[in-house]
Each structure stands twice: as structure tokens, then as C-alpha cells.
Amino acid sequence: MSILTIILNIILPPLAVFMKHGIGKTFLISLILTIIGWLPGVIHAFIVND
């Protein structure tokens, strides 16, 4: 995992997921989790961008 990915996982989780997986199910899940709460979005981004 690059430094850029780690920074984006923390600051903008949906953008980090989009850069690796594109628009799809994982991006929508990340977007919803980030809207609900920032921390669930960050955790999801780190899990899917391992």
C-alpha cells in the first residue's frame, strides 16, 4: 500500500476505494459508510485496499 493510498484512506475513503476498484459495489459501500460516519468509512477503505 502506497503512502498516497494511506493518506486518501484517512482523508477521503471513497476516493481511495474508487482509485483502486472503480465505481462498483465496494465504492458504494464505502460512500454509504462514510456518510453514516467517517470512521466506518476509513475502516472499510483500509480493509478493501489492503
Side-chain angles (χ1 to χ4, degrees):
M1 189 179 309
S2 70
I3 298 296
L4 177 65
T5 306
I6 293 171
I7 292 170
L8 284 177
N9 280 344
I10 295 169
I11 297 173
L12 293 170
L15 181 60
V17 173
F18 171 74
M19 286 179 58
K20 183 157 186 175
H21 299 284
I23 293 181
K25 186 169 70 169
T26 55
F27 172 73
L28 291 175
I29 291 171
S30 178
L31 187 64
I32 291 169
L33 287 173
T34 304
I35 289 171
I36 290 172
W38 172 77
L39 188 59
V42 171
I43 293 169
H44 179 261
F46 272 107
I47 290 171
V48 298
N49 286 336
D50 56 14

